[in-house]
Amino acid sequence: MKNPCLVVIDVQEKLYPVVQNKDNFLKNLEILIKGFRLLDLPIIVTEQVPQKLGHTVYPVRSLLSDVEPIPKSSFSCASNDKFKSKCDELLNVDGYVLAGIETHVCIYQTQKQMSLLGKHVEVVADAVSSRNKTNHDVALDRIRNSGGFLTTTEMILFELAGNAEGIIFKQLSKLVK
């Protein structure tokens, strides 16, 4: 992928406080968002039934104040008409990078459906989480075993940077330290 879209899925007020390793998850998600901003790549945000689960948590919302979250009730983002329309509007996007909550529900189902639609999708293993570690681990195993792609925050950002030269590389290096 040279020009992926980051999809930040359901990092909401009632979900975030109860996920596993929430501080590390949030730190990696923030680095990922800042990296995509630095690389001038598109970002989509979704919120699962926001009237019940709240809105995107402040630390994420503050980094994405110019991105209007897409409300949804389907677990898979790819089943939501507004999400599909937003994806269709993006020019030159050659893949999707998924991060957010919960690994075994919305992340897994979005990855599966988008892959079936022929999209290249990568799940950022250290920027997804679930309330239960077993659910998280099984979801990552299932994604990997079904031919899905896993990546990490640093792995995807440095892959997109392409080399260790210039200001972008220096700024990315500062982000991940």
Side-chain angles (χ1 to χ4, degrees), residues 12-172:
Q12 293 168 253
E13 296 159 332
K14 291 197 178 169
L15 295 174
Y16 170 72
V18 296
V19 298
Q20 297 287 304
N21 301 313
K22 66 182 178 188
D23 294 334
N24 193 51
F25 157 74
L26 184 61
K27 179 184 126 213
N28 288 327
L29 182 59
E30 289 173 334
I31 291 168
L32 195 59
I33 291 167
K34 289 175 183 177
F36 266 69
R37 289 287 193 183
L38 184 62
L39 295 163
D40 197 29
L41 293 168
I43 301 174
I44 296 173
V45 177
T46 68
E47 294 179 341
Q48 181 73 21
V49 194
Q51 62 274 24
K52 293 183 181 176
L53 298 176
H55 293 286
T56 303
V57 296
Y58 178 76
V60 174
R61 193 171 61 237
S62 69
L63 295 173
L64 298 170
S65 59
D66 61 329
V67 178
E68 183 70 29
I70 297 170
K72 64 183 185 63
S73 59
S74 59
F75 295 125
S76 171
C77 296
S79 293
N80 179 281
D81 289 336
K82 287 183 182 178
F83 178 83
K84 290 188 286 189
S85 292
K86 185 66 177 173
C87 290
D88 290 343
E89 291 172 14
L90 298 172
L91 302 176
N92 302 318
V93 166
D94 61 357
Y96 295 87
V97 175
L98 307 185
I101 300 172
E102 284 191 85
T103 314
H104 66 294
V105 184
C106 296
I107 303 296
Y108 169 71
Q109 290 187 35
T110 299
Q111 180 275 329
K112 182 179 176 184
Q113 187 172 1
M114 291 183 81
S115 293
L116 289 172
L117 293 170
K119 310 289 186 192
H120 180 85
V121 182
E122 297 191 19
V123 174
V124 186
D126 61 356
V128 294
S129 190
S130 293
R131 290 168 291 135
N132 175 285
K133 182 176 176 358
T134 301
N135 286 334
H136 170 78
D137 292 345
V138 169
L140 292 180
D141 282 345
R142 184 173 264 188
I143 290 166
R144 181 178 34 249
N145 291 333
S146 65
F149 297 95
L150 297 180
T151 190
T152 66
T153 300
E154 283 192 42
M155 188 176 181
I156 191 69
L157 291 177
F158 285 118
E159 179 182 342
L160 293 169
N163 62 59
E165 298 173 357
I167 189 75
I168 297 291
F169 171 75
K170 288 179 184 176
Q171 290 175 320
L172 283 176

